[in-house]
Amino acid sequence: AGMREFAAPIPRAAVVQIRAAEAGEGEGGPLFLCHDGYGDDLYMHALARHLPAGFAVYGLPALDTPDPQQVAATMLVAIRETQTHGPYRIGGWSFGGVLAYEIARQLRAQGERIGFLGLIDSHHPSVLRDDPDTDAVPAEVLDPQCGRAPRSEDAAAGFAACRERLILKLPEMLRGLPPSQTDALCRRLLGYQDALRRYDPQPIDTV
């Protein structure tokens, strides 16, 4: 599981079971994990192997929009279809940590309790805005829906330039993807990068 998500983001949130609960240490409500900056679920399976067996682990795959607030609102519905009320346990790695934070904030705004919020190697969006080594994404490159092909010649040229820079930063295991999947992955990364620059996280009411 995992690589298929690069080329085919899903139109609505769906909960994918990563691991069922087993009797043993750490019993309690399920843990919901948000997809990472590649839109992938690979890290969830690796992480689940190191967690206590007493609770289920669910994954939330990528959607067809990069905006954290919109994604969180959609994922929140899927989470509540699986677990009606809190306390909720939510986490994520990298971009997934930002999504987990926004989901938790929206759940608290609805009066629900958060039992656990885990952000793994996640950064405040201001880090992207202030980092001179992180390129701003040219507006003509971005499509309203992340993962779609650029529509004009200028956009295609701009995307090609961004693609070359992104490929150099990809983990080695992702550099051998077929060209179509590499393109889809790069468009998604550009969409997330731009969305994070625009995202202004608000404080969570923890009372």
Side-chain angles (χ1 to χ4, degrees):
M3 293 298 183
R4 67 185 184 279
E5 270 84 61
F6 292 151
I10 57 178
R12 65 178 297 275
V15 171
V16 176
Q17 187 174 72
I18 303 297
R19 187 195 70 187
E22 299 178 6
E25 179 187 1
E27 293 184 2
L31 172 64
F32 296 92
L33 295 174
C34 302
H35 68 82
D36 62 17
Y38 301 113
D40 193 42
D41 64 1
L42 291 178
Y43 89 89
M44 303 176 191
H45 297 272
L47 178 60
R49 289 197 294 269
H50 298 280
L51 297 175
F55 54 86
V57 178
Y58 293 99
L60 294 156
L63 301 177
D64 58 6
T65 176
D67 180 78
Q69 291 177 309
Q70 293 180 17
V71 172
T74 306
M75 287 182 169
L76 187 154
V77 174
I79 288 172
R80 298 194 73 166
E81 288 175 353
T82 304
Q83 180 183 345
T84 307
H85 294 291
Y88 291 96
R89 302 199 286 186
I90 311 164
W93 171 50
S94 186
F95 182 73
V98 176
L99 293 179
Y101 179 91
E102 179 60 27
I103 290 171
R105 188 194 69 77
Q106 293 186 23
L107 282 169
R108 285 296 301 137
Q110 295 179 8
E112 293 290 350
R113 290 187 297 153
I114 305 299
F116 172 80
L117 174 60
L119 280 65
I120 307 170
D121 196 23
S122 301
H123 301 284
H124 192 280
S126 62
V127 172
L128 277 179
R129 294 191 289 268
D130 299 338
D131 185 358
D133 295 327
T134 302
D135 297 328
V137 183
E140 67 272 14
V141 172
L142 294 170
D143 185 273
Q145 289 188 316
C146 147
R148 302 288 178 85
R151 293 195 177 111
S152 69
E153 291 184 8
D154 288 343
F159 169 71
C162 291
R163 181 185 187 277
E164 293 305 311
R165 292 195 294 272
L166 279 175
I167 287 176
L168 295 175
K169 300 177 182 179
L170 289 178
E172 186 174 349
M173 66 174 290
L174 298 179
R175 295 181 187 177
L177 292 173
S180 61
Q181 288 194 355
T182 300
D183 285 355
L185 172 58
C186 288
R187 291 188 191 106
R188 180 168 296 169
L189 286 170
L190 289 171
Y192 289 156
Q193 181 176 310
D194 183 70
L196 276 178
R197 283 175 173 272
R198 299 168 185 271
Y199 175 54
D200 182 22
Q202 299 300 304
I204 292 180
D205 172 17
T206 56
V207 176

